[in-house]
Amino acid sequence: MVERKEITIEAQSVFARYIQNENNSTYNFTNMFMWADGSGITYAETDGCLALFFEFGRQPVSVSFPVGGGDTKSAVSHLAAYIEEQGLRPVFRNLSKDMCRQMEELFPGQFEFVEDRSAADYIYETESLILLSGKKLHQKRNHFNYFKNHYAYEYRTLTQADMEDCLQLYKNWEDEKESGNRLAGARQATERLLHHFDSLPVRGGGLFVADKLVAFSIGERVSNDTALIHLEFATDLRGAFNVINSEFCAHEWSDCAYINREEDMGIPGLRQAKMAYRPIRLLEKYNAVLKESFIL
């Protein structure tokens, strides 16, 4: 039987049993924990694997690829059957190319694989984000230099004691957006991470001008060579975003070759901003849709 459970902070140890050295941001505990509170993200263990369920608003329930080294074929069968019991066609979301290959090998010709561009993770070279060198990043470098030349700032590694200041900075940033309820989900996710900062495997970095926090970023190492950035916010000081991006990578992630700055969610402005930093590649994700009724 598939039993869906809420993603509480206590579930971190469960995820750790199944997920190690995974660059795909979907399969990261902190990421799912942030966004699960009050939303439709849950998890289940079956056949020695872990799977995530997604159910937002009018979107019917779907599930991730089961991970963890158990009986993947049996897990897929049980997860698909669970969804079919609700009168729905099974959809497995956010599969990497390798996961698609595994699914096809286990169930030849039974699934259609559809790329989800809005879910693709943006992967950057750490050195590039630190140095902002080259013609393609010239504009970013100009903003970076403006901030450094006009503000006497200090970079600090953050602790739980700094999280209230981070939350206030975020709220001020949100107010400037005048977005009403549009950012309610992002606010809830941000608050949940900040309130549990010390309980999660994350690091934070902040820029301080005249001892006041003006920008911060929070991320974690997710594999041998990659760090994942969960949050990044700044005041409207020109260049603040560019400097916190660079300084955070330089101070906390210089031993990582790559930085994953997650997906753009299909938001045009966010996509433009992420592309402007010149990712070296996109970690493509696909949805696997069952073609016909599943046969166990």
Side-chain angles (χ1 to χ4, degrees):
M1 183 180 74
V2 174
E3 180 185 0
R4 292 165 63 182
K5 300 178 182 179
E6 293 185 7
I7 303 179
T8 63
I9 194 66
E10 291 75 21
Q12 184 170 190
S13 61
V14 178
F15 276 60
R17 292 201 300 267
Y18 298 100
I19 303 173
Q20 301 90 29
N21 209 39
E22 176 57 65
N23 290 332
N24 187 327
S25 67
T26 298
Y27 302 85
N28 171 261
F29 174 78
T30 302
N31 199 14
M32 292 300 101
F33 173 75
M34 287 173 60
W35 292 94
D37 190 29
S39 77
I41 307 178
T42 53
Y43 78 95
E45 297 172 88
T46 182
D47 302 285
C49 298
L50 180 139
L52 302 163
F53 285 90
F54 310 101
E55 190 171 8
F56 303 104
R58 297 181 180 179
Q59 183 184 77
V61 63
S62 58
V63 67
S64 73
F65 186 79
V67 296
D71 188 340
T72 305
K73 185 171 185 177
S74 182
V76 169
S77 297
H78 287 139
L79 294 167
Y82 173 85
I83 294 177
E84 282 201 323
E85 287 170 2
Q86 301 180 55
L88 300 169
R89 174 168 294 192
V91 176
F92 290 79
R93 294 194 178 278
N94 297 328
L95 280 69
S96 65
K97 285 185 175 180
D98 183 60
M99 292 171 181
C100 290
R101 284 192 291 269
Q102 292 181 60
M103 187 76 93
E104 180 61 23
E105 289 173 0
L106 294 171
F107 304 95
Q110 294 193 43
F111 286 91
E112 177 185 2
F113 300 98
V114 182
E115 183 178 0
D116 185 355
R117 174 63 179 82
S118 64
D121 288 339
Y122 288 74
I123 310 298
Y124 305 83
E125 289 184 328
T126 306
E127 184 178 15
S128 175
L129 294 183
I130 294 173
L131 299 178
L132 297 175
S133 57
K135 291 183 179 180
K136 292 182 178 180
L137 293 174
H138 179 71
Q139 186 176 24
K140 300 294 184 186
R141 186 73 187 182
N142 283 344
H143 292 314
F144 175 93
N145 287 334
Y146 182 92
F147 186 92
K148 295 198 75 170
N149 292 334
H150 286 78
Y151 302 102
Y153 74 89
E154 178 186 5
Y155 175 90
R156 299 179 196 167
T157 297
L158 302 178
T159 69
Q160 185 70 58
D162 297 301
M163 293 303 108
E164 281 301 318
D165 287 339
C166 290
L167 183 57
Q168 188 57 56
L169 189 155
Y170 169 76
K171 288 179 177 178
N172 293 340
W173 174 88
E174 185 184 52
D175 289 343
E176 292 174 0
K177 297 296 180 181
E178 299 180 350
S179 55
N181 293 326
R182 188 168 59 86
L183 290 176
R187 182 191 317 122
Q188 198 168 36
T190 300
E191 290 177 349
R192 202 175 198 208
L193 187 154
L194 296 180
H195 289 155
H196 293 86
F197 180 84
D198 269 357
S199 300
L200 295 164
V202 296
R203 301 182 200 173
L207 300 182
F208 292 80
V209 174
D211 209 36
K212 180 180 179 181
L213 182 70
V214 298
F216 74 92
S217 187
I218 295 175
E220 69 178 281
R221 181 188 292 273
V222 291
S223 68
N224 296 332
D225 62 3
T226 302
L228 176 67
I229 306 302
H230 295 297
L231 295 177
E232 183 182 272
F233 294 104
T235 62
D236 60 358
L237 297 179
R238 178 185 168 187
F241 272 106
N242 308 99
V243 175
I244 186 57
N245 183 358
S246 173
E247 295 280 17
F248 190 48
C249 290
H251 284 85
E252 311 297 339
W253 310 117
S254 61
D255 59 339
C256 291
Y258 306 105
I259 301 294
N260 181 336
R261 292 180 62 84
E262 301 187 347
E263 71 279 0
D264 61 36
M265 298 178 288
I267 301 173
L270 190 54
R271 179 170 297 183
Q272 182 179 9
K274 289 180 181 288
M275 290 299 295
Y277 272 101
R278 306 298 178 179
I280 60 167
R281 68 183 179 93
L282 298 180
L283 194 161
E284 299 167 341
K285 300 180 190 178
Y286 299 81
N287 297 330
V289 183
L290 189 65
K291 294 180 180 178
E292 298 179 3
S293 181
F294 205 87
I295 301 176
L296 297 177

